[in-house]
Amino acid sequence: MFMNRIWKMSLIITFLIILDQITKGVIQSKFYLGESIPVIDGFFNFTYVRNPGAAFGFMAQASLLVRQILFLWVPVGACFWLISLIWKTRHENFIGCLAYSLIFAGAVGNLIDRFSLGYVVDFLDFYLGNSHFPAFNVADSAITVGAFFMIIDMINDFKKKSIRQKSET
């Protein structure tokens, strides 16, 4: 049963990485840089953006060496750590295992871009009026959903510990 969970997580990871790379490839081949096509007027566009920084363009202006260390090598190390967490949580913690798997898939999707292109392709552009949320991609979405599941997992752990402490007193 638990190896079955590893297979399921592997399928989720593989699917997300492939979906991320296909969608980014379509954007790169069909759009010119900065091109924006409305999907839902006044709310959502597909917009081709190159992001050399972190989330929301953070540190995009940092030196190449700093960006290579922070956006290539630190995430590679984090991916190995995430693999160990996926393996560690496979037996007893579905939500935690899923969270780490989603974050891992997103990290790998963005790392593929960083190693092959030197930047991350973003294209999902949500906005209201003139206020735009920074563009993002499928990998970023996987990371965000994974972080949400991590928070749920932490809350569940906190509740379990609180119940245990109350029953011990």
Side-chain angles (χ1 to χ4, degrees):
M1 177 174 134
F2 300 116
M3 284 307 288
N4 191 20
R5 183 173 292 164
I6 288 296
W7 282 110
K8 288 177 183 174
M9 294 304 141
S10 298
L11 287 174
I12 290 169
I13 291 166
T14 302
F15 172 77
L16 287 171
I17 292 169
I18 291 170
L19 179 64
D20 178 64
Q21 291 301 300
I22 287 172
T23 55
K24 290 173 180 175
V26 168
I27 293 298
Q28 288 177 294
S29 67
K30 303 290 183 190
F31 286 62
Y32 59 83
L33 185 60
E35 182 178 2
S36 189
I37 296 180
V39 178
I40 302 172
D41 278 330
F43 183 68
F44 175 58
N45 296 336
F46 287 137
T47 303
Y48 179 16
V49 177
R50 292 178 180 171
N51 181 2
F56 314 124
F58 177 70
M59 293 189 69
Q61 303 303 322
S63 73
L64 180 60
L65 177 63
V66 169
R67 283 186 290 133
Q68 284 180 333
I69 292 168
L70 290 179
F71 304 141
L72 290 176
W73 304 114
V74 170
V76 167
C79 283
F80 283 107
W81 179 62
L82 285 164
I83 290 168
S84 73
L85 291 173
I86 292 166
W87 188 257
K88 180 180 167 186
T89 58
R90 74 190 186 283
H91 291 300
E92 73 285 340
N93 188 347
F94 174 76
I95 293 175
C97 190
L98 178 61
Y100 300 135
S101 297
L102 293 172
I103 294 168
F104 175 77
V108 169
N110 282 338
L111 276 171
I112 290 169
D113 284 16
R114 290 194 188 283
F115 276 106
S116 64
L117 304 171
Y119 54 85
V120 172
V121 173
D122 289 329
F123 61 92
L124 300 171
D125 176 23
F126 287 89
Y127 63 98
L128 287 173
N130 290 329
S131 300
H132 286 254
F133 188 79
F136 58 99
N137 57 45
V138 172
D140 297 333
S141 300
I143 291 168
T144 302
V145 172
F148 175 75
F149 281 131
M150 275 183 65
I151 292 167
I152 290 172
D153 189 49
M154 286 184 217
I155 291 169
N156 286 342
D157 282 349
F158 178 77
K159 287 179 180 178
K160 288 176 190 173
K161 287 177 185 173
S162 293
I163 291 169
R164 266 188 249 132
Q165 287 175 347
K166 286 180 183 177
S167 66
E168 290 173 359
T169 57

